Amino acid sequence: MTTNEPNVTALPLADQPTAKFPDSYDHYRGSKTPIIIDNGSTTLRFGFSTTPTPHCGPNVITKYKDRRTNRPVLLFGDAVELENNSRSQAKTPWEGDVLLNADALECSLDYAFLRLGIDTESVDHPVFMTERICSPLHSRALTSELLFEQYTVPNVAYCLDAMMSFYWNNRPLQESQQDGLVFSFNSASTSIIPVLGRKGILSHAKRIPWGAMQSADYLLKLVQLKYPTFSTRITTNHANWMYRTFCEFSDDYLAKLRRLKDPLEMQLAGRIVQFPYTATVEVEKTEEELARLAEKRKEQGRKLQEISARVRGEKLLQKENDLAYLTALREERATLGKREWTTKLQSEGFDTDAILDDSIKKLEQALNKARKKEIDGGGGEENVEPPSFPLLDTPDEELDEEQLKEKRKQRLAKAGYEARIRARKEKEREREERAAEEKKEEEERTRDLSGWSQKLRSEHEAAVLKIKDRNRRKAALSDRKSAVAQARMKSIASLANEEKVGRKKRKAGGDDMFGANDDDWAIYRKINIAAPSSDEEDDMAQLQTLEAKLLEHDPSFSTEHTYAAQITKRSALISAFRPSYEEGDTEGRNRVHLNVERWRVPETYFQPPIAGVDSAGLAEVAQMVLAAFSEAEKARLVKNVMVTGGPAQIPGLLPRLHASLRPLLAPEMELNVTAAADPSLDAWHGMAHFANMTDYTKIVVTKAEYDEHGGERVKRWWGGNWNAAV
């Protein structure tokens, strides 16, 4: 089910389980027809050997107590999806790649025999069952005990699913078809089994701990990392469906990544998964309501501007008062003694004269900057007549209290006016100096254009690096566990800490455990690291000036070299990797975009370290398997390379496997890589075909042999875990 947009696929709804009724047992009653069971870790396939197709279903059970009836409930297969309580307690007979859960296995066998319609007290049919390569004896003993003791079957035989799939796809076995190299893709592992003369050489077989289950989990982690705040819970079943539907192998993974660096290529390669959502209903407003809201926003904007202007004026007045107070304090230094001055200085919060002078200097710079901004936005102030301050020339004795207050205001106003005049003159001087510098720069550019351009390019590169370093530092400071944030916090803490550290402790280099407790971050959180500084504004202004000059005079410098173009290019790649949607776009916010993950997850079969698994890939393992054979035997093996198993249906596997094996072989060796006709069911069909042949009776373990030798008993034959090659 897809939506109207391209590359958008809606997440399929879970199929509701349907009632499945038992088959008729009349045809098989007393016939001794073998029962074929492919006991997969995700899918259970079972049926009589004479049936054309098996019954298939999820190999999972769950036990829980129904809240309404207060009775225990046992569910198997797709019925597990009925309730949330059942899904949370589901389990399979397998733990990874090992059969361990006896109760789950018993439930699976119960379901299989009941579905086949067997209504007798015992199962009077031979059982032919699969097991994993190098299966532990405990798992086989557990299965044999259930079959012989619980169901009293007459005999049991075990085989490898990969060998039976190879047998089914190469029948009738000619001499040239009895050799091959089988790649068996399972849910929890992937095995490579060499076959010579129709016999699996298990002593040289290899297995890697990676399968479809790990691939789906890895895709789920990547999606959760990509969408940490996704509105819908993404489950393992969702990840498994996305893996089987959208992922594929690439012939050359690194070349594929290089192509995906182009935002357009990544956008075309992406697939979108639309998760279910509830659309929000927006009430349409009339034109009158929209106009009223617009007028309300304008009024709010005007009020905010007035409040901001008033706050700026109050701050400017406060700074002027502080500057006047500190200046008067510094003038008292000449009238006081050294001890009195030191006491006075410390009472005002200054340790030394240098700190006082530095504070006055910073206040003057801040006032000059604020007044310059006021002059720049003031417009025609130069044509306005100078204000008068009549009360300043009148002695205080002749003024009343109101006039004294007005006189203080006029004194501050006069100081501000004089400061603005000085700032205007300073600005005129800076304008003249800037004109002189521009003239000098023009002469330098006329004399040596290449040298001038190289110098500006160096300055441009340095400015870009400076801005990038500041951004990286900001990103590191936002992570409390980063080294930059830890160092900054410790610096702040050392300034705030009143406890004196002894000389011996400092010399010994005692451990500083500050930051181990979350309470220690209270100081750190009080500091706003996101506030823009004046240095950032100056750096950006300098960068824009350099770029404007280079664009105007340097023909080799284009808009692609500008900082904005670099940011836009990176933003385009990030947007293609994970597009963003607006706040009210409910449909877009319930989408998962798969692009790089489509090839990254299957690549783990050939490079398991990508997912943190310490194992060799399929190509390396195949090389180790082939190295154990002679050149003649190796040529026989690679002439018939077959892949089987459900996960082998991922697109692109055959070309990638061929491209990985070809460099390992001599040029004259023939290499054929094929897939099983039906990777999921061919193992069952091969078992059913072989069980109907006379050779089947030679590989079974009877009840008498079980009683004598135990559950680990198994016959030696070409398709089992113990054969003549051992």
Side-chain angles (χ1 to χ4, degrees):
M1 182 175 63
T2 58
T3 63
N4 296 329
E5 298 185 43
N7 295 341
V8 179
T9 304
L11 188 73
L13 300 176
D15 296 332
Q16 291 297 323
T18 57
K20 298 179 177 63
F21 299 98
D23 298 340
S24 176
Y25 186 55
D26 296 337
H27 181 70
Y28 299 100
R29 194 180 303 274
S31 63
K32 302 288 185 180
T33 304
I35 296 176
I36 313 302
I37 301 177
D38 184 3
N39 185 24
S41 57
T42 56
T43 305
L44 181 69
R45 306 172 185 90
F46 56 92
F48 289 103
S49 62
T50 56
T51 56
T53 56
H55 295 289
C56 301
N59 194 4
V60 59
I61 71 162
T62 183
K63 296 179 181 180
Y64 73 102
K65 182 172 289 188
D66 190 6
R67 296 178 180 177
R68 291 170 293 183
T69 61
N70 199 26
R71 297 175 58 186
V73 178
L74 173 63
L75 299 177
F76 179 83
D78 52 6
V80 172
E81 299 294 327
L82 279 174
E83 292 189 7
N84 293 331
N85 292 337
S86 63
R87 287 196 295 268
S88 62
Q89 301 184 33
K91 66 177 181 178
T92 69
W94 298 86
E95 294 290 344
D97 214 27
V98 181
L99 184 64
L100 288 178
N101 299 326
D103 55 344
L105 177 61
E106 182 179 357
C107 293
S108 300
L109 294 175
D110 284 342
Y111 176 81
F113 296 144
L114 288 173
R115 183 73 190 282
L116 293 175
I118 300 176
D119 54 4
T120 57
E121 294 183 358
S122 62
V123 180
D124 194 19
H125 295 270
V127 174
F128 194 18
M129 199 168 183
T130 58
E131 63 178 1
R132 289 288 186 271
I133 184 174
C134 301
S135 181
L137 297 180
H138 169 75
S139 299
R140 185 183 301 138
L142 184 150
T143 308
S144 297
E145 181 180 356
L146 273 175
L147 292 172
F148 284 117
E149 302 290 348
Q150 180 73 13
Y151 304 102
T152 62
V153 299
N155 55 66
V156 175
Y158 296 99
C159 68
L160 300 178
D161 53 354
M163 291 300 302
M164 301 316 297
S165 179
F166 180 83
Y167 165 77
W168 175 253
N169 283 273
N170 291 277
R171 71 187 197 289
L173 291 175
Q174 305 294 332
E175 184 177 354
S176 61
Q177 295 175 306
Q178 295 184 4
D179 308 322
L181 193 65
V182 183
F183 285 78
S184 178
F185 290 80
N186 298 319
S187 294
S189 65
T190 303
S191 306
I192 302 177
I193 305 175
V195 181
L196 288 176
R198 201 181 67 172
K199 192 176 298 181
I201 313 300
L202 301 187
S203 57
H204 297 317
K206 301 290 183 183
R207 178 172 60 187
I208 65 172
W210 190 265
M213 182 173 59
Q214 291 87 345
S215 298
D217 289 341
Y218 184 49
L219 178 60
L220 178 61
K221 292 178 182 178
L222 292 177
V223 172
Q224 289 174 341
L225 183 64
K226 191 173 184 178
Y227 297 92
T229 58
F230 196 66
S231 55
T232 305
R233 180 176 178 269
I234 305 176
T235 64
T236 305
N237 291 336
H238 297 156
N240 191 29
W241 175 80
M242 289 189 288
Y243 172 68
R244 289 184 286 104
T245 306
F246 300 110
C247 289
E248 57 186 71
F249 289 88
S250 59
D251 296 344
D252 190 340
Y253 180 63
L254 294 179
K256 188 67 178 179
L257 290 183
R258 284 192 290 268
R259 289 195 296 271
L260 291 179
K261 288 176 64 177
D262 184 0
L264 182 59
E265 286 287 338
M266 181 174 290
Q267 187 175 4
L268 294 175
R271 297 294 181 270
I272 305 172
V273 182
Q274 181 67 65
F275 279 72
Y277 67 96
T278 302
T280 57
V281 180
E282 296 184 359
V283 180
E284 296 185 359
K285 297 181 175 61
T286 62
E287 294 183 0
E288 296 179 357
E289 292 176 339
L290 293 175
R292 187 167 59 253
L293 290 175
E295 185 62 30
K296 185 177 180 181
R297 284 194 295 269
K298 289 181 180 179
E299 183 63 25
Q300 290 175 348
R302 285 193 294 268
K303 289 182 179 179
L304 288 175
Q305 291 177 355
E306 293 175 359
I307 294 173
S308 178
R310 186 171 66 252
V311 170
R312 285 198 304 270
E314 292 175 355
K315 288 183 178 180
L316 183 61
L317 183 60
Q318 181 64 35
K319 287 180 180 180
E320 290 176 346
N321 293 335
D322 293 343
L323 179 60
Y325 181 78
L326 293 180
T327 305
L329 177 64
R330 185 171 58 180
E331 292 174 354
E332 293 182 12
R333 180 168 50 187
T335 60
L336 298 176
K338 185 175 181 181
R339 180 175 298 178
E340 295 177 352
W341 168 247
T342 303
T343 304
K344 176 74 172 177
L345 195 64
Q346 291 179 352
S347 64
E348 296 294 340
F350 301 99
D351 293 336
T352 61
D353 294 349
I355 297 177
L356 175 62
D357 295 338
D358 188 54
S359 300
I360 294 175
K361 183 178 179 182
K362 288 181 178 179
L363 274 175
E364 290 176 346
Q365 291 176 351
L367 282 171
N368 290 335
K369 190 171 184 179
R371 288 164 180 164
K372 282 184 180 180
K373 288 184 178 180
E374 185 180 352
I375 292 172
D376 292 338
E381 186 179 350
E382 296 180 356
N383 299 327
V384 179
E385 295 183 0
S388 60
F389 309 101
L391 295 180
L392 294 182
D393 299 331
T394 307
D396 293 346
E397 294 81 5
E398 301 178 6
L399 302 176
D400 56 14
E401 185 175 353
E402 292 296 330
Q403 290 176 333
L404 287 174
K405 291 181 180 180
E406 183 64 25
K407 182 179 180 180
R408 283 194 291 270
K409 291 181 181 180
Q410 290 184 7
R411 184 182 293 111
L412 291 174
K414 182 181 179 182
Y417 172 74
E418 292 175 351
R420 287 192 292 274
I421 295 299
R422 289 194 300 269
R424 189 177 295 111
K425 292 180 179 179
E426 182 69 20
K427 189 175 181 180
E428 290 291 338
R429 187 181 62 82
E430 290 177 357
R431 189 182 295 113
E432 294 175 357
E433 292 178 356
R434 189 161 52 250
E437 290 178 359
E438 291 177 356
K439 184 178 180 181
K440 182 180 178 182
E441 183 180 0
E442 184 179 358
E443 294 175 355
E444 181 182 355
R445 185 174 61 249
T446 305
R447 184 173 62 255
D448 185 8
L449 179 60
S450 60
W452 174 86
S453 176
Q454 187 64 31
K455 185 180 78 169
L456 260 66
R457 278 178 174 265
S458 301
E459 295 178 2
H460 178 267
E461 184 178 356
V464 170
L465 288 176
K466 188 176 181 181
I467 293 173
K468 288 183 177 179
D469 289 341
R470 183 183 290 112
N471 294 336
R472 279 195 294 267
R473 179 174 175 81
K474 274 189 176 182
L477 286 173
S478 62
D479 182 9
R480 56 174 289 177
K481 294 184 179 180
S482 65
V484 177
Q486 293 282 352
R488 181 173 181 269
M489 190 198 69
K490 288 181 179 180
S491 300
I492 297 170
S494 63
L495 294 174
N497 190 9
E498 297 179 356
E499 181 182 357
K500 300 296 183 181
V501 181
R503 184 180 300 175
K504 292 183 179 180
K505 187 174 181 180
R506 289 199 305 269
K507 189 174 182 181
D511 293 336
D512 183 10
M513 298 303 295
F514 192 90
N517 190 349
D518 287 343
D519 295 338
D520 299 336
W521 289 85
I523 302 173
Y524 184 77
R525 294 190 184 97
K526 292 181 181 178
I527 298 176
N528 184 10
I529 62 173
S533 63
S534 58
D535 294 341
E536 296 181 33
E537 299 176 1
D538 295 341
D539 291 342
M540 289 302 298
Q542 180 189 4
L543 185 65
Q544 293 173 1
T545 302
L546 291 172
E547 289 177 349
K549 292 179 180 179
L550 288 170
L551 288 172
E552 182 180 359
H553 302 287
D554 189 354
S556 62
F557 189 88
S558 63
T559 54
E560 296 181 357
H561 299 90
T562 60
Y563 179 70
Q566 298 176 19
I567 296 298
T568 304
K569 185 177 180 181
R570 178 170 176 81
S571 300
L573 184 61
I574 294 176
S575 298
F577 177 71
R578 183 197 167 183
S580 58
Y581 295 91
E582 297 180 358
E583 187 68 29
D585 191 353
T586 309
E587 181 181 10
R589 287 181 169 270
N590 284 274
R591 286 179 175 179
V592 169
H593 291 254
L594 300 176
N595 31 61
V596 180
E597 300 86 3
R598 296 180 57 204
W599 294 273
R600 179 176 179 177
V601 175
E603 182 65 21
T604 51
Y605 279 99
F606 294 89
Q607 300 185 60
I610 290 179
V613 178
D614 187 12
S615 172
L618 286 181
E620 298 170 84
V621 174
Q623 184 179 14
M624 288 187 283
V625 171
L626 295 174
F629 298 92
S630 63
E631 291 298 317
E633 293 173 333
K634 190 185 300 183
R636 292 164 56 188
L637 292 173
V638 300
K639 195 175 181 179
N640 185 18
V641 178
M642 192 192 79
V643 297
T644 185
Q649 302 178 71
I650 300 298
L653 174 59
L654 298 185
R656 176 57 191 274
L657 197 57
H658 189 281
S660 300
L661 294 178
R662 184 70 267 180
L664 307 178
L665 307 175
E668 65 275 7
M669 281 190 184
E670 182 182 355
L671 174 63
N672 294 316
V673 182
T674 59
D678 190 341
S680 298
L681 297 179
D682 280 357
W684 189 92
H685 287 300
M687 295 167 66
H689 185 272
F690 182 78
N692 294 327
M693 300 177 66
T694 56
D695 289 346
Y696 173 72
T697 58
K698 301 177 182 179
I699 68 169
V700 298
V701 177
T702 63
K703 180 67 165 59
E705 291 174 326
Y706 165 77
D707 293 335
E708 181 178 354
H709 300 285
E712 297 90 352
R713 179 72 171 180
V714 66
K715 292 293 181 66
R716 179 189 301 228
W717 71 292
W718 57 266
N721 257 319
W722 189 35
N723 54 41
V726 178

